[in-house]
mmCIF file of all heavy atoms in Angstrom:
data_model
loop_
_atom_site.group_PDB
_atom_site.id
_atom_site.type_symbol
_atom_site.label_atom_id
_atom_site.label_comp_id
_atom_site.label_asym_id
_atom_site.label_seq_id
_atom_site.Cartn_x
_atom_site.Cartn_y
_atom_site.Cartn_z
ATOM 1 N N MET A 86 73.618 112.349 69.381
ATOM 2 C CA MET A 86 74.888 113.011 69.705
ATOM 3 C C MET A 86 74.847 113.937 70.913
ATOM 4 O O MET A 86 75.659 114.034 71.774
ATOM 5 C CB MET A 86 75.407 113.741 68.438
ATOM 6 C CG MET A 86 76.788 114.299 68.559
ATOM 7 S SD MET A 86 78.060 113.001 68.630
ATOM 8 C CE MET A 86 79.479 113.949 68.946
ATOM 9 N N ARG A 87 73.718 114.688 70.954
ATOM 10 C CA ARG A 87 73.583 115.662 72.030
ATOM 11 C C ARG A 87 73.431 114.942 73.326
ATOM 12 O O ARG A 87 73.940 115.484 74.338
ATOM 13 C CB ARG A 87 72.387 116.593 71.678
ATOM 14 C CG ARG A 87 72.274 117.821 72.569
ATOM 15 C CD ARG A 87 71.218 118.763 71.947
ATOM 16 N NE ARG A 87 70.962 119.862 72.913
ATOM 17 C CZ ARG A 87 71.710 120.956 72.911
ATOM 18 N NH1 ARG A 87 72.767 121.074 72.209
ATOM 19 N NH2 ARG A 87 71.379 121.857 73.885
ATOM 20 N N ASN A 88 72.723 113.890 73.403
ATOM 21 C CA ASN A 88 72.504 113.138 74.631
ATOM 22 C C ASN A 88 73.845 112.575 75.188
ATOM 23 O O ASN A 88 74.097 112.566 76.335
ATOM 24 C CB ASN A 88 71.493 112.032 74.363
ATOM 25 C CG ASN A 88 71.103 111.365 75.720
ATOM 26 O OD1 ASN A 88 71.146 112.029 76.753
ATOM 27 N ND2 ASN A 88 70.683 110.090 75.625
ATOM 28 N N LYS A 89 74.716 112.202 74.244
ATOM 29 C CA LYS A 89 76.033 111.611 74.609
ATOM 30 C C LYS A 89 76.846 112.726 75.268
ATOM 31 O O LYS A 89 77.586 112.519 76.248
ATOM 32 C CB LYS A 89 76.744 111.032 73.426
ATOM 33 C CG LYS A 89 77.936 110.226 73.692
ATOM 34 C CD LYS A 89 78.447 109.576 72.461
ATOM 35 C CE LYS A 89 79.673 108.724 72.762
ATOM 36 N NZ LYS A 89 80.257 108.088 71.502
ATOM 37 N N GLU A 90 76.790 113.926 74.662
ATOM 38 C CA GLU A 90 77.587 115.028 75.297
ATOM 39 C C GLU A 90 77.035 115.435 76.631
ATOM 40 O O GLU A 90 77.841 115.711 77.524
ATOM 41 C CB GLU A 90 77.496 116.245 74.345
ATOM 42 C CG GLU A 90 78.201 116.066 73.026
ATOM 43 C CD GLU A 90 78.049 117.273 72.091
ATOM 44 O OE1 GLU A 90 77.356 118.207 72.504
ATOM 45 O OE2 GLU A 90 78.526 117.196 70.998
ATOM 46 N N ALA A 91 75.791 115.366 76.824
ATOM 47 C CA ALA A 91 75.162 115.626 78.173
ATOM 48 C C ALA A 91 75.685 114.553 79.144
ATOM 49 O O ALA A 91 76.054 114.884 80.333
ATOM 50 C CB ALA A 91 73.698 115.651 78.064
ATOM 51 N N MET A 92 75.712 113.311 78.815
ATOM 52 C CA MET A 92 76.054 112.221 79.726
ATOM 53 C C MET A 92 77.591 112.453 80.053
ATOM 54 O O MET A 92 77.996 112.230 81.216
ATOM 55 C CB MET A 92 75.869 110.921 79.042
ATOM 56 C CG MET A 92 74.426 110.524 79.021
ATOM 57 S SD MET A 92 73.669 110.341 80.600
ATOM 58 C CE MET A 92 74.554 108.915 81.246
ATOM 59 N N ARG A 93 78.331 112.816 79.085
ATOM 60 C CA ARG A 93 79.781 113.091 79.341
ATOM 61 C C ARG A 93 80.043 114.251 80.242
ATOM 62 O O ARG A 93 80.867 114.194 81.169
ATOM 63 C CB ARG A 93 80.485 113.363 78.009
ATOM 64 C CG ARG A 93 82.035 113.463 78.128
ATOM 65 C CD ARG A 93 82.684 113.561 76.778
ATOM 66 N NE ARG A 93 84.138 113.674 76.886
ATOM 67 C CZ ARG A 93 84.790 114.790 76.911
ATOM 68 N NH1 ARG A 93 84.172 115.976 76.799
ATOM 69 N NH2 ARG A 93 86.137 114.844 77.050
ATOM 70 N N PHE A 94 79.197 115.342 80.125
ATOM 71 C CA PHE A 94 79.336 116.496 80.944
ATOM 72 C C PHE A 94 78.985 116.133 82.418
ATOM 73 O O PHE A 94 79.633 116.485 83.336
ATOM 74 C CB PHE A 94 78.419 117.558 80.486
ATOM 75 C CG PHE A 94 78.369 118.748 81.366
ATOM 76 C CD1 PHE A 94 79.383 119.665 81.399
ATOM 77 C CD2 PHE A 94 77.249 118.949 82.226
ATOM 78 C CE1 PHE A 94 79.386 120.810 82.295
ATOM 79 C CE2 PHE A 94 77.244 120.062 83.074
ATOM 80 C CZ PHE A 94 78.249 120.955 83.096
ATOM 81 N N ILE A 95 77.911 115.353 82.563
ATOM 82 C CA ILE A 95 77.471 114.898 83.930
ATOM 83 C C ILE A 95 78.532 114.052 84.551
ATOM 84 O O ILE A 95 78.876 114.102 85.692
ATOM 85 C CB ILE A 95 76.124 114.171 83.819
ATOM 86 C CG1 ILE A 95 75.033 115.117 83.471
ATOM 87 C CG2 ILE A 95 75.809 113.501 85.192
ATOM 88 C CD1 ILE A 95 73.680 114.495 83.041
ATOM 89 N N ALA A 96 79.140 113.099 83.773
ATOM 90 C CA ALA A 96 80.056 112.207 84.249
ATOM 91 C C ALA A 96 81.359 112.968 84.705
ATOM 92 O O ALA A 96 81.912 112.706 85.721
ATOM 93 C CB ALA A 96 80.444 111.135 83.183
ATOM 94 N N LEU A 97 81.815 113.937 83.924
ATOM 95 C CA LEU A 97 82.962 114.696 84.245
ATOM 96 C C LEU A 97 82.649 115.529 85.495
ATOM 97 O O LEU A 97 83.566 115.754 86.332
ATOM 98 C CB LEU A 97 83.376 115.616 83.104
ATOM 99 C CG LEU A 97 84.155 114.916 81.957
ATOM 100 C CD1 LEU A 97 84.304 115.904 80.789
ATOM 101 C CD2 LEU A 97 85.460 114.348 82.479
ATOM 102 N N THR A 98 81.499 116.094 85.641
ATOM 103 C CA THR A 98 81.129 116.907 86.791
ATOM 104 C C THR A 98 81.255 116.079 88.063
ATOM 105 O O THR A 98 81.777 116.478 89.071
ATOM 106 C CB THR A 98 79.753 117.536 86.566
ATOM 107 O OG1 THR A 98 79.686 118.283 85.426
ATOM 108 C CG2 THR A 98 79.366 118.347 87.751
ATOM 109 N N ILE A 99 80.574 114.918 87.998
ATOM 110 C CA ILE A 99 80.685 114.017 89.133
ATOM 111 C C ILE A 99 82.165 113.618 89.489
ATOM 112 O O ILE A 99 82.535 113.639 90.618
ATOM 113 C CB ILE A 99 79.826 112.720 88.863
ATOM 114 C CG1 ILE A 99 78.317 113.129 88.809
ATOM 115 C CG2 ILE A 99 80.050 111.685 90.032
ATOM 116 C CD1 ILE A 99 77.481 111.989 88.322
ATOM 117 N N PHE A 100 82.899 113.311 88.459
ATOM 118 C CA PHE A 100 84.331 112.924 88.628
ATOM 119 C C PHE A 100 85.104 114.047 89.266
ATOM 120 O O PHE A 100 85.842 113.763 90.319
ATOM 121 C CB PHE A 100 84.858 112.572 87.213
ATOM 122 C CG PHE A 100 86.299 112.203 87.172
ATOM 123 C CD1 PHE A 100 86.701 111.060 87.738
ATOM 124 C CD2 PHE A 100 87.337 113.128 86.755
ATOM 125 C CE1 PHE A 100 88.082 110.703 87.732
ATOM 126 C CE2 PHE A 100 88.644 112.762 86.695
ATOM 127 C CZ PHE A 100 89.047 111.561 87.305
ATOM 128 N N TYR A 101 85.005 115.263 88.813
ATOM 129 C CA TYR A 101 85.728 116.384 89.446
ATOM 130 C C TYR A 101 85.242 116.645 90.875
ATOM 131 O O TYR A 101 85.942 117.100 91.654
ATOM 132 C CB TYR A 101 85.703 117.616 88.544
ATOM 133 C CG TYR A 101 86.642 117.470 87.298
ATOM 134 C CD1 TYR A 101 86.086 117.462 86.026
ATOM 135 C CD2 TYR A 101 87.994 117.215 87.492
ATOM 136 C CE1 TYR A 101 86.992 117.329 84.914
ATOM 137 C CE2 TYR A 101 88.887 117.127 86.430
ATOM 138 C CZ TYR A 101 88.300 117.213 85.132
ATOM 139 O OH TYR A 101 89.214 116.992 84.084
ATOM 140 N N THR A 102 83.891 116.570 91.043
ATOM 141 C CA THR A 102 83.385 116.807 92.404
ATOM 142 C C THR A 102 83.975 115.806 93.384
ATOM 143 O O THR A 102 84.239 116.240 94.543
ATOM 144 C CB THR A 102 81.846 116.698 92.324
ATOM 145 O OG1 THR A 102 81.350 117.648 91.420
ATOM 146 C CG2 THR A 102 81.217 116.982 93.694
ATOM 147 N N VAL A 103 84.035 114.483 92.998
ATOM 148 C CA VAL A 103 84.601 113.555 93.922
ATOM 149 C C VAL A 103 86.057 113.866 94.203
ATOM 150 O O VAL A 103 86.514 113.747 95.328
ATOM 151 C CB VAL A 103 84.449 112.115 93.251
ATOM 152 C CG1 VAL A 103 85.291 111.106 94.013
ATOM 153 C CG2 VAL A 103 82.979 111.665 93.199
ATOM 154 N N ILE A 104 86.868 114.201 93.239
ATOM 155 C CA ILE A 104 88.242 114.593 93.387
ATOM 156 C C ILE A 104 88.368 115.795 94.345
ATOM 157 O O ILE A 104 89.213 115.772 95.294
ATOM 158 C CB ILE A 104 88.912 114.899 92.041
ATOM 159 C CG1 ILE A 104 89.083 113.572 91.259
ATOM 160 C CG2 ILE A 104 90.313 115.504 92.278
ATOM 161 C CD1 ILE A 104 89.722 113.836 89.894
ATOM 162 N N LEU A 105 87.514 116.767 94.174
ATOM 163 C CA LEU A 105 87.540 117.970 95.035
ATOM 164 C C LEU A 105 87.182 117.574 96.477
ATOM 165 O O LEU A 105 87.872 118.006 97.373
ATOM 166 C CB LEU A 105 86.485 118.996 94.448
ATOM 167 C CG LEU A 105 86.565 120.344 95.189
ATOM 168 C CD1 LEU A 105 87.874 121.076 94.969
ATOM 169 C CD2 LEU A 105 85.458 121.176 94.721
ATOM 170 N N LEU A 106 86.199 116.722 96.636
ATOM 171 C CA LEU A 106 85.819 116.277 97.966
ATOM 172 C C LEU A 106 86.927 115.500 98.632
ATOM 173 O O LEU A 106 87.232 115.637 99.853
ATOM 174 C CB LEU A 106 84.551 115.486 97.948
ATOM 175 C CG LEU A 106 83.267 116.347 97.612
ATOM 176 C CD1 LEU A 106 82.111 115.389 97.434
ATOM 177 C CD2 LEU A 106 82.982 117.321 98.804
ATOM 178 N N LEU A 107 87.630 114.694 97.845
ATOM 179 C CA LEU A 107 88.700 113.890 98.367
ATOM 180 C C LEU A 107 89.869 114.788 98.816
ATOM 181 O O LEU A 107 90.460 114.609 99.867
ATOM 182 C CB LEU A 107 89.169 112.853 97.372
ATOM 183 C CG LEU A 107 88.302 111.589 97.189
ATOM 184 C CD1 LEU A 107 88.834 110.752 96.043
ATOM 185 C CD2 LEU A 107 88.294 110.807 98.448
ATOM 186 N N LEU A 108 90.127 115.813 97.997
ATOM 187 C CA LEU A 108 91.173 116.750 98.341
ATOM 188 C C LEU A 108 90.891 117.496 99.612
ATOM 189 O O LEU A 108 91.735 117.651 100.587
ATOM 190 C CB LEU A 108 91.416 117.791 97.188
ATOM 191 C CG LEU A 108 92.192 117.163 95.981
ATOM 192 C CD1 LEU A 108 92.181 118.240 94.868
ATOM 193 C CD2 LEU A 108 93.573 116.841 96.392
ATOM 194 N N ILE A 109 89.679 117.932 99.805
ATOM 195 C CA ILE A 109 89.202 118.605 100.993
ATOM 196 C C ILE A 109 89.306 117.675 102.221
ATOM 197 O O ILE A 109 89.727 118.007 103.288
ATOM 198 C CB ILE A 109 87.780 119.219 100.821
ATOM 199 C CG1 ILE A 109 87.782 120.259 99.815
ATOM 200 C CG2 ILE A 109 87.180 119.618 102.219
ATOM 201 C CD1 ILE A 109 86.431 120.726 99.338
ATOM 202 N N TYR A 110 88.886 116.384 101.990
ATOM 203 C CA TYR A 110 88.855 115.458 103.095
ATOM 204 C C TYR A 110 90.309 115.186 103.549
ATOM 205 O O TYR A 110 90.637 115.246 104.773
ATOM 206 C CB TYR A 110 88.247 114.137 102.636
ATOM 207 C CG TYR A 110 88.388 113.028 103.580
ATOM 208 C CD1 TYR A 110 87.575 113.045 104.749
ATOM 209 C CD2 TYR A 110 89.349 111.956 103.437
ATOM 210 C CE1 TYR A 110 87.662 112.008 105.677
ATOM 211 C CE2 TYR A 110 89.419 110.992 104.389
ATOM 212 C CZ TYR A 110 88.539 110.958 105.512
ATOM 213 O OH TYR A 110 88.699 109.913 106.423
ATOM 214 N N PHE A 111 91.215 114.986 102.662
ATOM 215 C CA PHE A 111 92.640 114.667 103.006
ATOM 216 C C PHE A 111 93.316 115.943 103.620
ATOM 217 O O PHE A 111 94.043 115.822 104.595
ATOM 218 C CB PHE A 111 93.481 114.193 101.856
ATOM 219 C CG PHE A 111 93.158 112.782 101.462
ATOM 220 C CD1 PHE A 111 92.698 112.450 100.143
ATOM 221 C CD2 PHE A 111 93.281 111.748 102.390
ATOM 222 C CE1 PHE A 111 92.396 111.125 99.882
ATOM 223 C CE2 PHE A 111 93.083 110.438 102.017
ATOM 224 C CZ PHE A 111 92.603 110.163 100.809
ATOM 225 N N TYR A 112 92.984 117.080 103.091
ATOM 226 C CA TYR A 112 93.548 118.379 103.662
ATOM 227 C C TYR A 112 93.067 118.615 105.096
ATOM 228 O O TYR A 112 93.849 118.908 105.934
ATOM 229 C CB TYR A 112 93.104 119.571 102.756
ATOM 230 C CG TYR A 112 93.691 120.805 103.139
ATOM 231 C CD1 TYR A 112 95.032 121.073 102.965
ATOM 232 C CD2 TYR A 112 92.912 121.885 103.730
ATOM 233 C CE1 TYR A 112 95.676 122.262 103.382
ATOM 234 C CE2 TYR A 112 93.439 123.039 104.093
ATOM 235 C CZ TYR A 112 94.839 123.266 103.921
ATOM 236 O OH TYR A 112 95.374 124.431 104.344
ATOM 237 N N SER A 113 91.773 118.379 105.365
ATOM 238 C CA SER A 113 91.217 118.627 106.683
ATOM 239 C C SER A 113 91.797 117.566 107.633
ATOM 240 O O SER A 113 92.102 117.769 108.845
ATOM 241 C CB SER A 113 89.735 118.540 106.697
ATOM 242 O OG SER A 113 89.260 117.305 106.254
ATOM 243 N N TYR A 114 91.992 116.245 107.145
ATOM 244 C CA TYR A 114 92.516 115.245 108.029
ATOM 245 C C TYR A 114 93.985 115.552 108.335
ATOM 246 O O TYR A 114 94.462 115.335 109.406
ATOM 247 C CB TYR A 114 92.453 113.907 107.202
ATOM 248 C CG TYR A 114 93.135 112.768 108.004
ATOM 249 C CD1 TYR A 114 92.575 112.196 109.102
ATOM 250 C CD2 TYR A 114 94.409 112.290 107.617
ATOM 251 C CE1 TYR A 114 93.201 111.187 109.742
ATOM 252 C CE2 TYR A 114 95.052 111.274 108.227
ATOM 253 C CZ TYR A 114 94.431 110.727 109.393
ATOM 254 O OH TYR A 114 95.035 109.726 110.090
ATOM 255 N N ASP A 115 94.726 116.111 107.335
ATOM 256 C CA ASP A 115 96.129 116.467 107.573
ATOM 257 C C ASP A 115 96.228 117.616 108.680
ATOM 258 O O ASP A 115 97.106 117.588 109.504
ATOM 259 C CB ASP A 115 96.715 116.989 106.296
ATOM 260 C CG ASP A 115 98.223 117.095 106.380
ATOM 261 O OD1 ASP A 115 98.825 116.115 106.952
ATOM 262 O OD2 ASP A 115 98.780 118.036 105.892
ATOM 263 N N ILE A 116 95.290 118.490 108.680
ATOM 264 C CA ILE A 116 95.318 119.633 109.701
ATOM 265 C C ILE A 116 94.962 119.016 111.000
ATOM 266 O O ILE A 116 95.592 119.369 112.041
ATOM 267 C CB ILE A 116 94.351 120.710 109.364
ATOM 268 C CG1 ILE A 116 94.858 121.473 108.082
ATOM 269 C CG2 ILE A 116 94.066 121.713 110.497
ATOM 270 C CD1 ILE A 116 93.837 122.460 107.618
ATOM 271 N N ALA A 117 93.940 118.113 111.087
ATOM 272 C CA ALA A 117 93.429 117.621 112.449
ATOM 273 C C ALA A 117 94.344 116.573 113.001
ATOM 274 O O ALA A 117 94.404 116.403 114.157
ATOM 275 C CB ALA A 117 92.074 117.140 112.188
ATOM 276 N N GLY A 118 95.036 115.834 112.064
ATOM 277 C CA GLY A 118 95.821 114.701 112.561
ATOM 278 C C GLY A 118 97.340 114.994 112.781
ATOM 279 O O GLY A 118 97.742 115.516 113.804
ATOM 280 N N PRO A 119 98.155 114.601 111.815
ATOM 281 C CA PRO A 119 99.641 114.608 112.012
ATOM 282 C C PRO A 119 100.213 116.002 112.237
ATOM 283 O O PRO A 119 101.300 116.048 112.850
ATOM 284 C CB PRO A 119 100.132 114.149 110.626
ATOM 285 C CG PRO A 119 99.016 113.367 110.066
ATOM 286 C CD PRO A 119 97.750 114.050 110.513
ATOM 287 N N ALA A 120 99.548 117.049 111.943
ATOM 288 C CA ALA A 120 100.057 118.368 112.121
ATOM 289 C C ALA A 120 100.356 118.695 113.647
ATOM 290 O O ALA A 120 101.238 119.404 114.005
ATOM 291 C CB ALA A 120 99.178 119.452 111.556
ATOM 292 N N HIS A 121 99.505 118.122 114.544
ATOM 293 C CA HIS A 121 99.752 118.370 115.986
ATOM 294 C C HIS A 121 101.091 117.865 116.492
ATOM 295 O O HIS A 121 101.623 118.459 117.322
ATOM 296 C CB HIS A 121 98.526 117.767 116.722
ATOM 297 C CG HIS A 121 97.293 118.500 116.585
ATOM 298 N ND1 HIS A 121 97.133 119.836 116.982
ATOM 299 C CD2 HIS A 121 96.106 118.222 116.011
ATOM 300 C CE1 HIS A 121 95.908 120.226 116.639
ATOM 301 N NE2 HIS A 121 95.250 119.253 116.061
ATOM 302 N N PHE A 122 101.505 116.714 115.880
ATOM 303 C CA PHE A 122 102.768 116.162 116.349
ATOM 304 C C PHE A 122 103.957 117.046 115.993
ATOM 305 O O PHE A 122 104.841 117.107 116.779
ATOM 306 C CB PHE A 122 102.936 114.787 115.692
ATOM 307 C CG PHE A 122 101.907 113.721 116.213
ATOM 308 C CD1 PHE A 122 100.956 113.321 115.321
ATOM 309 C CD2 PHE A 122 102.011 113.250 117.478
ATOM 310 C CE1 PHE A 122 99.983 112.409 115.831
ATOM 311 C CE2 PHE A 122 101.073 112.339 117.920
ATOM 312 C CZ PHE A 122 100.098 111.859 117.077
ATOM 313 N N ILE A 123 103.817 117.829 114.935
ATOM 314 C CA ILE A 123 104.879 118.673 114.540
ATOM 315 C C ILE A 123 105.015 119.800 115.601
ATOM 316 O O ILE A 123 106.089 120.195 116.099
ATOM 317 C CB ILE A 123 104.597 119.319 113.144
ATOM 318 C CG1 ILE A 123 104.717 118.180 112.100
ATOM 319 C CG2 ILE A 123 105.655 120.415 112.842
ATOM 320 C CD1 ILE A 123 104.186 118.612 110.795
ATOM 321 N N TYR A 124 103.805 120.368 116.016
ATOM 322 C CA TYR A 124 103.862 121.430 116.961
ATOM 323 C C TYR A 124 104.206 120.974 118.363
ATOM 324 O O TYR A 124 104.779 121.740 119.190
ATOM 325 C CB TYR A 124 102.419 122.123 117.058
ATOM 326 C CG TYR A 124 102.097 122.821 115.733
ATOM 327 C CD1 TYR A 124 101.017 122.436 114.992
ATOM 328 C CD2 TYR A 124 102.875 123.910 115.277
ATOM 329 C CE1 TYR A 124 100.734 123.005 113.788
ATOM 330 C CE2 TYR A 124 102.512 124.536 114.141
ATOM 331 C CZ TYR A 124 101.457 124.160 113.380
ATOM 332 O OH TYR A 124 101.175 124.772 112.243
ATOM 333 N N ASN A 125 104.038 119.733 118.725
ATOM 334 C CA ASN A 125 104.450 119.183 119.996
ATOM 335 C C ASN A 125 105.978 119.159 120.113
ATOM 336 O O ASN A 125 106.511 119.081 121.220
ATOM 337 C CB ASN A 125 103.863 117.798 120.216
ATOM 338 C CG ASN A 125 102.391 117.867 120.550
ATOM 339 O OD1 ASN A 125 101.877 118.938 120.966
ATOM 340 N ND2 ASN A 125 101.655 116.766 120.313
ATOM 341 N N GLU A 126 106.692 119.112 119.000
ATOM 342 C CA GLU A 126 108.110 119.105 119.072
ATOM 343 C C GLU A 126 108.778 120.293 119.653
ATOM 344 O O GLU A 126 109.787 120.274 120.279
ATOM 345 C CB GLU A 126 108.671 118.848 117.594
ATOM 346 C CG GLU A 126 108.292 117.496 116.993
ATOM 347 C CD GLU A 126 109.009 116.376 117.623
ATOM 348 O OE1 GLU A 126 110.205 116.513 118.019
ATOM 349 O OE2 GLU A 126 108.400 115.246 117.729
ATOM 350 N N PHE A 127 108.094 121.501 119.408
ATOM 351 C CA PHE A 127 108.639 122.744 119.848
ATOM 352 C C PHE A 127 108.297 123.058 121.306
ATOM 353 O O PHE A 127 107.182 122.732 121.760
ATOM 354 C CB PHE A 127 108.172 123.879 118.913
ATOM 355 C CG PHE A 127 108.680 123.653 117.525
ATOM 356 C CD1 PHE A 127 107.778 123.212 116.595
ATOM 357 C CD2 PHE A 127 110.015 123.844 117.111
ATOM 358 C CE1 PHE A 127 108.223 123.085 115.179
ATOM 359 C CE2 PHE A 127 110.381 123.717 115.854
ATOM 360 C CZ PHE A 127 109.526 123.288 114.918
#
């Protein structure tokens, strides 16, 4: 039972780390990419 809980903890840690990295990736892409077109309008 204890080994199963450890595997679940590791799996959730990897899962949330991937989500966090994806959010950072999309956020940085949003700053570097389409945001410049908005500022070019003014």
Side-chain angles (χ1 to χ4, degrees):
M86 186 68 185
R87 191 168 173 85
N88 190 25
K89 191 175 182 182
E90 289 176 2
M92 288 297 293
R93 184 171 182 267
F94 175 77
I95 292 169
L97 283 175
T98 303
I99 293 171
F100 179 70
Y101 285 118
T102 302
V103 169
I104 290 177
L105 186 66
L106 288 174
L107 283 173
L108 285 173
I109 293 170
Y110 175 75
F111 284 123
Y112 183 71
S113 63
Y114 175 76
D115 193 42
I116 291 174
H121 288 295
F122 293 109
I123 295 171
Y124 293 116
N125 284 339
E126 297 286 327
F127 297 106

